Amino acid sequence: MLPLHNLLAPVLLACATAGVFAAAPSYDTVIISPPAPYNWIQGTKVNNHGDFAAVATGDDGVNAYLVYYVDVGFVSLPVPRGGHVTGLSGINDSQQVTGTSTEGAFVWAPSEGWTTISPPGGFEAVVPAAINRHGVVVGSITQVGSLLKQSFYWTKSGGTRIVANANPSWLVGVNNRGDFAGTVVLDNPFRTGSEAVYATGQSSRTLLGNAQDPKGTGSSAIDLNDYGAVAAACTTFGSGGATQACWWTKNSGMRLLGRPNTEAYAISNKGDIVGFDRGLNFGGFVWGADYGFVSIVDALSPTSPVLSEAYALDISEKGVATGYGASEGISGALVLRPVMQR
């Protein structure tokens, strides 16, 4: 097993700030109806071209996992031995998707076919969480006979490698520079709980702390961008364990987005964070440091249809987002493309 600090060559943070442009984004929108035999669908992961992974259901209520390619339409992945996909967790600009199936974890692309992500000896239950443009996959894995998670990363040439850690951990993101973001469970006399972690090179693993107490625990990484900014969830003191959306940069540390009952789902290279507000302003939002919270339904270009419901579950490096949207007479997977020059 490789120690976390020996994973990558050192990289410099070219920029650790986000939201440096004052104007909120504006989006052109497309709603893509579910293909037969499904009657509901939402996008879950998206690349810069607008290709997206999706989950759909039909009258039987069983989830089906599809990929939508802009030039082709919906594709149902051909799982070996007649199996089926059980989850999709990432799609990159090379049209590679990663996820889980009845035949194990995998990477698949139209031009490459199916590649199984096999666990090393003594491990099982590989669960991918993200894939970058170079095809590097990260996620969690468990030892045989154990329910405790450990972090892994995978490359086609090097296979699956365990990120050695004395405590349970899992990775949720890998950016295009090869930086990782994840969460480690702490258990010592001075710091307990879970805490977001960010790895940037051979000798750098940063515990990100909590927005209300930089040395406190109770944070979980959700996503990171190419500049090292991390979207996260932070436990707020006096909330009975409730979390709210927060973000971390090298320059500013961990900070709350500023609204309770919120969840962050993903962050773009411009620092836009998409998420969901379960409070009084119920619905999907996009947030930036300079413009704050904007409801997705209020962030549409003049040429876009009026949406009665909208939320985004993922946003790409260049700001293309996907999720669910409903307008008069149509509902389905929502694709948001930024049109305002920022």
Side-chain angles (χ1 to χ4, degrees), residues 8-21:
L8 305 165
V11 291
L12 296 177
L13 288 177
C15 173
T17 60
V20 295
F21 300 89

Side-chain angles (χ1 to χ4, degrees), residues 240-266:
T243 63
Q244 65 174 284
C246 52
W247 72 310
W248 178 92
T249 68
K250 184 178 180 181
N251 290 344
S252 303
M254 190 75 82
R255 292 185 289 173
L256 296 173
L257 268 59
R259 185 179 289 176
N261 301 308
T262 50
E263 298 177 40
Y265 295 144

Side-chain angles (χ1 to χ4, degrees), residues 146-294:
S146 173
L147 297 178
L148 299 179
K149 295 179 180 179
Q150 285 293 330
S151 299
F152 82 89
Y153 75 102
W154 175 92
T155 64
K156 192 169 185 177
S157 60
T160 305
R161 302 188 184 189
I162 308 302
V163 179
N165 204 315
N167 295 59
S169 65
W170 53 94
L171 293 175
V172 297
V174 54
N175 65 20
N176 292 318
R177 301 185 315 178
D179 306 334
F180 297 160
T183 301
V184 62
V185 177
L186 302 178
D187 186 13
N188 63 54
F190 304 102
R191 303 176 75 176
T192 60
S194 65
E195 187 162 348
V197 62
Y198 172 54
T200 60
Q202 287 185 342
S203 59
S204 179
R205 187 190 74 167
T206 304
L207 291 172
L208 307 189
N210 186 290
Q212 292 182 314
D213 178 2
K215 295 184 179 180
T217 57
S219 61
S220 299
I222 305 297
D223 190 30
L224 82 164
N225 67 19
D226 286 343
Y227 299 123
V230 177
C234 287
T235 302
T236 52
F237 302 143
S239 65
T243 63
Q244 65 174 284
C246 52
W247 72 310
W248 178 92
T249 68
K250 184 178 180 181
N251 290 344
S252 303
M254 190 75 82
R255 292 185 289 173
L256 296 173
L257 268 59
R259 185 179 289 176
N261 301 308
T262 50
E263 298 177 40
Y265 295 144
I267 184 170
S268 75
N269 279 352
K270 288 188 175 180
D272 297 324
I273 293 176
V274 295
F276 200 84
D277 185 344
R278 301 188 182 280
L280 296 176
N281 300 293
F282 190 83
F285 67 80
V286 58
W287 175 94
D290 287 330
Y291 59 82
F293 287 89
V294 177

